[in-house]
């Protein structure tokens, strides 16, 4: 089951990424925004990168190094330059695994 798409109501949003054993991972985000926007992505307060959003849902793969994770709930942050960034889908898998 799914809660559906998520729309950021402010400039910063967080998602919980549970982790049993830290390892190198990749997070895939499908994001869109009504107007082009930069979205900074961080994990537990440390930078992972920046992606550019557009009106259509676009896939963004972000590397998550083992050193950035800890056992337990990790916080993936999205900081948007524009308003109403929409998260359509998110997946997390081991680094190098076949993409969605």
């Amino acid at each position: 089951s799914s809660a559906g798409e998520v729309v950021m109501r402010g400039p910063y949003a967080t998602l919980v990424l549970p982790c049993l054993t830290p390892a190198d991972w990749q997070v895939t985000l499908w994001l869109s925004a009504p107007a082009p926007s930069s979205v900074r992505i961080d994990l537990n307060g440390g930078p992972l990168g920046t992606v550019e959003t557009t009106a259509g849902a676009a896939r963004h793969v972000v590397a998550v190094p083992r050193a950035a994770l800890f056992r337990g709930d990790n916080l993936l942050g999205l900081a948007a330059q524009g308003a109403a960034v929409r998260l359509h889908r998110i997946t997390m898998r081991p680094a190098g695994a076949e993409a969605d």
Side-chain angles (χ1 to χ4, degrees), residues 17-19 23 25-28 43 64 69 90-94 100:
L17 294 181
C19 178
W25 289 87
Q26 65 186 26
V27 171
T28 304
L43 183 68
V64 179
L69 292 164
I90 180 172
T91 61
M92 185 173 173
R93 58 183 34 158
D100 307 275

Side-chain angles (χ1 to χ4, degrees), residues 8 11 31 33 35-41 49-54 78-83 85:
M8 291 176 64
L31 300 170
S37 177
S38 292
V39 179
R40 188 184 77 245
I41 302 168
T50 301
V51 299
E52 301 298 321
T53 61
T54 60
L78 305 175
Q81 296 298 319
V85 170

Side-chain angles (χ1 to χ4, degrees), residues 5-98:
E5 297 174 357
V6 177
V7 178
M8 291 176 64
R9 300 277 184 227
Y12 192 78
T14 57
L15 302 160
V16 175
L17 294 181
C19 178
L20 294 175
T21 305
D24 291 332
W25 289 87
Q26 65 186 26
V27 171
T28 304
L29 304 160
W30 284 262
L31 300 170
S32 67
S37 177
S38 292
V39 179
R40 188 184 77 245
I41 302 168
D42 62 52
L43 183 68
N44 300 321
L48 289 180
T50 301
V51 299
E52 301 298 321
T53 61
T54 60
R59 178 178 163 267
H60 305 279
V61 179
V62 180
V64 179
R66 169 185 291 156
L69 292 164
F70 58 84
R71 181 177 168 84
D73 290 339
N74 294 262
L75 293 180
L76 182 74
L78 305 175
Q81 296 298 319
V85 170
R86 183 177 303 266
L87 173 65
H88 299 268
R89 182 175 168 201
I90 180 172
T91 61
M92 185 173 173
R93 58 183 34 158
E98 197 169 309

